[in-house]
Amino acid sequence: MADKKTVIVTGASRGIGAAVAHAFLDRGYNVVATSRNISRAGYAPSQNLALVDGDIVQAETAEKVAAAAIHTFGTIDHVVNVAGIFFTKPFIDYTADDFHAFVSTNLEGFLFITQIAVKRMLAQGTGGSVTTITAALADNPMVGSPASVPMLTKGGLNTITRSLALEYASNNIRFNAVAPGVVDTALHRETPKEVMKTLSPMGAIADAKDIAEAVMYLVEARYVTGEVLHVDGGAHVGRW
């Protein structure tokens, strides 16, 4: 890229986050990748890559990540919020600890880094974007996937994405989300492939690269903001 941009990717040690980080590196972006153990995630050393260990639920981690981006590359141009947790159980079985874990990782993990990044983008005056991984289940609940409590947070991320898109449109800071369906990652290590295929009307299973491609589109689509892009084989459309 002639005008090299810097992107922060949270939850980048594996799965969707790692696929996203590698996609940006392959396209010549500067990447600041973070997770609790990112330095042990097997990334090849690169002058376009900075790694920051830390738990994104802590405000100080967000500050470290932003500082690394500015010190190493000079700008923060894009953020991709991938870090999140997900598990299912009947609604009445979710505990207070479960709820607090979802809020901490999925919401505070978004809030802290996004606030810092937007402040920096405003100061730079050159626009930017924030893209967040949510979930197709937030719009299309399914029998057999009792995800009511985690979808409190994922649905909230869809809502704040649309709200911020309008709040900062005049500053050319764009906010979008990618809402995956079932994806072949470690989260579904124990799920039979034939079962996974039934969770999409296309009868196919997405992989992390499919989600990374959607993220890349939204980051580079200069006139798209406030969009929740479903990558779920059509599951969000309705019954099948």
Side-chain angles (χ1 to χ4, degrees):
M1 296 177 62
D3 183 17
K4 187 172 289 188
K5 302 293 187 179
T6 300
V7 57
I8 292 169
V9 182
T10 73
S13 61
R14 59 181 182 172
I16 292 171
V20 168
H22 283 105
F24 279 104
L25 287 169
D26 289 344
R27 286 180 75 90
Y29 284 78
N30 297 320
V31 174
V32 181
T34 184
S35 73
R36 284 176 293 183
N37 299 296
I38 193 70
S39 61
R40 299 201 295 271
Y43 280 86
S46 167
Q47 64 179 3
N48 295 339
L49 175 66
L51 303 176
V52 180
D53 287 323
D55 191 340
I56 202 63
V57 309
Q58 303 295 331
E60 54 265 34
T61 297
E63 292 166 0
K64 283 172 52 181
V65 171
I70 295 164
H71 175 75
T72 308
F73 304 118
T75 63
I76 298 173
D77 302 293
H78 306 285
V79 175
V80 184
N81 290 300
V82 182
I85 60 171
F86 173 79
F87 55 86
T88 64
K89 61 176 67 175
F91 172 67
I92 59 174
D93 292 339
Y94 284 104
T95 66
D97 286 343
D98 292 337
F99 176 72
H100 294 149
F102 286 127
V103 169
S104 293
T105 303
N106 298 351
L107 296 186
E108 291 183 326
F110 166 91
L111 180 68
F112 298 140
I113 190 63
T114 301
Q115 283 184 319
I116 291 174
V118 170
K119 287 178 184 177
R120 179 67 185 187
M121 291 175 193
L122 289 170
Q124 291 168 182
T126 54
S129 77
V130 176
T131 307
T132 302
I133 303 300
T134 63
L137 278 173
D139 296 318
N140 186 60
M142 289 193 290
V143 172
S145 296
S148 58
V149 174
M151 290 310 108
L152 270 175
T153 60
K154 293 296 189 177
L157 291 172
N158 286 342
T159 297
I160 198 171
T161 291
R162 290 187 288 263
S163 180
L164 292 174
L166 285 183
E167 184 172 344
Y168 291 102
S170 64
N171 304 104
N172 196 31
I173 302 174
R174 298 177 298 105
F175 293 82
N176 294 294
V178 174
V182 62
V183 183
D184 191 8
T185 65
L187 182 67
H188 291 287
R189 187 184 298 111
E190 304 301 323
T191 307
K193 293 294 189 290
E194 291 308 309
V195 172
M196 292 172 69
K197 290 179 181 179
T198 68
L199 301 177
S200 159
M202 291 183 71
I205 306 170
D207 60 31
K209 183 180 177 182
D210 294 312
I211 312 306
E213 289 173 349
V215 169
M216 186 66 68
Y217 162 73
L218 290 172
V219 168
E220 296 187 341
R222 69 176 186 87
Y223 203 60
V224 177
T225 192
E227 183 68 31
V228 178
L229 178 57
H230 293 80
V231 185
D232 62 359
H236 69 286
V237 176
R239 296 181 61 185
W240 64 92

